[in-house]
Amino acid sequence: MQKWLIFVVFWSICYPIFAQNDTLVKHDDANIIPLEISEERLKPFLEDEAFNYEIVKTDSSSWDSFKDWMYNILLQIFEWLFGVEAAVGAVASFLQILPYILLGILLFLIIGFFVKANTRSLIHTQKNPNIVSLSEEERIIKTEDIQQLIRDALSNNNYRLAIRYYYLFILKLLTERELIEWQLQKTNDDYIEELSNSQLKIPFSRATLLYDYIWYGEFNIDQDRYTKAEQVFITLKNAIATDV
């Protein structure tokens, strides 16, 4: 009996609400006229690339395939390290700093190459005392007793170095006689050109050819060959002394 009483009370309260809502619904009986769009109105939109939603599939290049392969490898590594959820963000962050890492490695390799090259050059210079640098050439011509340097080289049986000093001695004599203007950046051909109006051009050219062959060609000579080469320099030295 109580259940029926509750149902009657509930229905008496809710029925007016449902009946009121039903009266609020309005039906539209008007005729619907479809809107027609002409081709002229559609043409600007069809020609506008912003409204082009066609997806064009392009063949992936070898570089794209490599990047995808690398990305998948990194993703697996970072999934193992940080978990599946954090892996994608970790890979993205790593790829952002990857160019800087590669640049640092490249700079490290370049610096290491030049340091190694300079170290090799220093070791080679220490092992080969015959090497005379250009700065040392200037010091020898301007300040050293070249005749004594020649005697020291001969006492050590270093005939190549003696030829080197002899040629510098010739350049010093030509400079003192103002027949050439010695400068560090000049070549031997420049000095030959400066002697183009002098009778010393031919003997100097012969001495230059001999010097280039022995010194720069790293041609080892013994005492007999040095004696023959020395005559060329002695003849040139005497010609410079008598040149007017």
Side-chain angles (χ1 to χ4, degrees):
M1 185 66 180
Q2 292 180 352
K3 293 182 179 179
W4 279 101
L5 180 62
I6 294 173
F7 175 77
V8 172
V9 173
F10 175 78
W11 180 255
S12 62
I13 295 174
C14 295
Y15 178 76
I17 297 175
F18 294 147
Q20 184 180 5
N21 289 339
D22 184 63
T23 59
L24 292 176
V25 177
K26 295 181 180 181
H27 298 279
D28 188 2
D29 297 331
N31 293 329
I32 299 175
I33 302 175
L35 179 63
E36 295 183 1
I37 302 176
S38 64
E39 293 185 1
E40 293 183 358
R41 295 185 62 184
L42 284 175
K43 187 176 180 180
F45 299 97
L46 294 174
E47 295 177 350
D48 192 346
E49 290 294 333
F51 295 95
N52 184 8
Y53 300 107
E54 182 180 359
I55 300 175
V56 179
K57 294 185 66 176
T58 58
D59 296 333
S60 60
S61 62
S62 300
W63 173 245
D64 293 331
S65 300
F66 173 77
K67 288 192 297 183
D68 293 339
W69 175 79
M70 180 61 68
Y71 179 84
N72 292 329
I73 294 296
L74 292 175
L75 184 60
Q76 294 177 6
I77 295 174
F78 280 86
E79 284 180 354
W80 179 72
L81 292 175
F82 303 107
V84 176
E85 295 182 356
V88 176
V91 171
S93 301
F94 178 76
L95 291 178
Q96 288 180 350
I97 65 174
L98 182 59
Y100 302 99
I101 296 176
L102 296 177
L103 180 60
I105 294 175
L106 179 62
L107 291 176
F108 175 78
L109 293 176
I110 293 175
I111 294 173
F113 171 78
F114 283 106
V115 170
K116 189 174 181 180
N118 290 336
T119 303
R120 269 202 222 131
S121 177
L122 180 61
I123 294 175
H124 181 68
T125 302
Q126 292 175 346
K127 290 182 178 179
N128 188 0
N130 295 337
I131 296 179
V132 180
S133 63
L134 293 178
S135 59
E136 186 177 358
E137 177 181 296
E138 182 178 13
R139 177 183 61 81
I140 291 172
I141 291 177
K142 293 183 177 181
T143 63
E144 293 289 336
D145 183 358
I146 303 181
Q147 294 280 29
Q148 183 59 46
L149 293 177
I150 295 174
R151 289 191 291 268
D152 293 340
L154 292 176
S155 63
N156 294 323
N157 297 326
N158 197 336
Y159 301 109
R160 283 186 65 249
L161 188 59
I163 291 295
R164 166 72 166 171
Y165 289 143
Y166 226 128
Y167 189 78
L168 295 180
F169 179 66
I170 294 297
L171 293 179
K172 183 175 183 179
L173 292 178
L174 292 173
T175 303
E176 291 175 349
R177 294 292 306 272
E178 297 182 354
L179 297 172
I180 64 170
E181 183 181 357
W182 186 90
Q183 293 181 6
L184 184 61
Q185 69 273 15
K186 284 186 178 181
T187 65
N188 296 335
D189 291 336
D190 293 330
Y191 300 131
I192 294 175
E193 185 64 25
E194 292 183 35
L195 294 173
S196 58
N197 297 326
S198 172
Q199 60 181 358
L200 297 174
K201 180 179 180 179
I202 295 179
F204 180 75
S205 300
R206 187 181 299 112
T208 300
L209 180 62
L210 186 62
Y211 163 71
D212 289 341
Y213 179 72
I214 294 174
W215 182 254
Y216 292 111
E218 297 185 359
F219 183 75
N220 292 320
I221 60 174
D222 54 18
Q223 185 175 4
D224 292 337
R225 291 179 177 176
Y226 170 78
T227 301
K228 295 178 181 179
E230 184 185 30
Q231 293 301 317
V232 175
F233 289 97
I234 292 176
T235 301
L236 178 57
K237 181 181 68 172
N238 294 335
I240 295 173
T242 58
D243 183 73
V244 178

